């Protein structure tokens, strides 16, 4: 498998490029608008053809490259069926598989950070969006976030995957690049709670500033990355 983890310094976002083989079709997860050129160049350098770009959820901290990539490469753009983005060409639902030339990516509905959050799973790894971060979890205090739903997504879905499943989040603010389900179960401070109620209390007790780009990013991302004119 061809796999690249790409980083946006501005928003600490990870973008993932996946393909089963050289010369084959490729998939991008959570691309950032400012790096659209870099993605297109890398896809080209690796001899790949971009056929699909997916956002795990409507992001509040960066503008998506979905629209730009669609315009430049004619790739399909996908989000979950709950998403209010108006311009995606394909909507997936829980349990559905996205087939990209030898890769079969399972969509797992994991609401909580937002009500349109999905995780994307391959046999050995899971892309957890902002649901499960390395030693953290995504905030639940805006965009229809719901800490109880997030508890269910974590404990009912993601943490039931095999312990050696690799965890690739949409962000990291501490320089970590990858973890495993087993490692997070044991060492993620947010997951050391006795029950759902305790998790809800923990999340509701966090005091967090809004992301710097939120007022720009959310409306732009509902339009696949087109910023509205002032
Ligand atoms: Fe997010």
């Amino acid at each position: 498998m061809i796999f690249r983890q790409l980083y946006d310094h501005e928003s600490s976002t990870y973008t993932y490029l996946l393909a089963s083989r050289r010369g084959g079709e490729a998939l991008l997860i959570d691309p950032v608008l400012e790096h659209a050129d870099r993605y297109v160049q890398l896809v080209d350098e690796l001899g790949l053809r971009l056929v699909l770009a997916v956002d795990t959820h409507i992001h509040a901290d960066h503008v998506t490259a979905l629209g730009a990539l669609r315009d430049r490469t004619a790739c399909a753009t996908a989000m979950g069926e709950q998403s209010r983005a108006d311009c995606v060409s394909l909507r997936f639902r829980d349990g559905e598989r996205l087939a990209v030339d030898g890769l079969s990516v399972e969509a797992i509905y994991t609401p909580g950070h937002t009500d349109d959050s999905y995780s994307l799973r391959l046999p050995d790894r899971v892309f957890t969006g902002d649901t499960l971060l390395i030693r953290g979890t995504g905030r639940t205090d805006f965009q229809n976030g719901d800490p109880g739903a997030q508890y269910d997504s974590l404990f009912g879905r993601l943490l039931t995957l095999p312990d050696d499943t690799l965890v690739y989040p949409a962000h990291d603010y501490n320089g970590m690049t990858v973890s495993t389900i087993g490692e997070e179960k044991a060492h993620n401070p947010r997951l050391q709670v006795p029950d759902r109620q305790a998790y809800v209390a923990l999340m509701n007790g966090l005091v967090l500033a809004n992301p710097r780009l939120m007022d720009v990013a959310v409306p732009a991302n509902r339009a696949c990355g087109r910023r509205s004119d002032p």
Side-chain angles (χ1 to χ4, degrees):
M1 186 169 75
I2 294 172
F3 174 66
R4 294 289 184 277
Q5 183 177 34
L6 304 156
Y7 188 60
D8 174 55
H9 282 276
E10 274 299 303
S11 62
S12 302
T13 299
Y14 285 127
T15 299
Y16 300 97
L17 174 68
L18 291 155
S20 64
R21 60 180 176 91
R22 237 176 202 285
E25 297 176 346
L27 153 78
L28 271 170
I29 299 174
D30 289 330
V32 176
L33 178 60
E34 284 75 12
H35 306 305
D37 288 343
R38 191 175 78 181
Y39 307 139
V40 170
Q41 185 182 347
L42 179 60
V43 163
D44 193 50
E45 288 166 351
L46 295 174
L48 302 171
R49 195 161 55 83
L50 186 66
V51 296
L52 181 62
V54 184
D55 273 343
T56 51
H57 62 288
I58 294 263
H59 296 282
D61 55 1
H62 67 267
V63 177
T64 180
L66 253 58
L69 290 168
R70 177 200 53 204
D71 292 348
R72 296 199 38 183
T73 70
C75 68
T77 53
M79 290 191 73
E81 62 177 350
Q82 292 81 0
S83 162
R84 283 171 294 281
D86 58 8
C87 52
V88 291
S89 61
L90 195 153
R91 286 174 195 276
F92 47 81
R93 59 180 63 188
D94 185 50
E96 206 167 301
R97 285 178 175 275
L98 305 170
V100 176
D101 198 3
L103 295 176
S104 175
V105 183
E106 182 193 358
I108 307 174
Y109 183 44
T110 50
H113 170 61
T114 64
D115 60 0
D116 66 350
S117 288
Y118 274 77
S119 297
L120 299 169
R121 184 193 180 200
L122 285 167
D124 68 336
R125 66 194 65 200
V126 60
F127 301 93
T128 52
D130 290 353
T131 303
L132 176 60
L133 304 176
I134 298 174
R135 309 297 191 267
T137 56
R139 61 193 297 173
T140 54
D141 57 335
F142 57 64
Q143 284 189 279
N144 299 317
D146 179 338
Q150 191 171 59
Y151 178 91
D152 297 338
S153 295
L154 290 164
F155 287 87
R157 305 297 302 269
L158 295 178
L159 300 184
T160 67
L161 297 175
D163 277 355
D164 61 355
T165 306
L166 297 168
V167 171
Y168 286 103
H171 295 287
D172 191 83
Y173 306 96
N174 304 304
M176 303 290 274
T177 54
V178 61
S179 182
T180 65
I181 290 294
E183 199 179 312
E184 291 311 306
K185 267 191 213 164
H187 301 295
N188 187 322
R190 296 263 175 93
L191 305 180
Q192 314 307 313
V193 288
D195 53 30
R196 194 176 194 267
Q197 200 185 340
Y199 185 78
V200 171
L202 170 67
M203 295 306 287
N204 286 340
L206 300 175
V207 179
L208 302 164
N210 278 349
R212 204 164 41 82
L213 277 177
M214 182 163 157
D215 294 340
V216 175
V218 172
N221 288 336
R222 291 202 177 124
C224 280
R226 281 188 304 274
R227 290 165 193 258
S228 50
D229 290 325

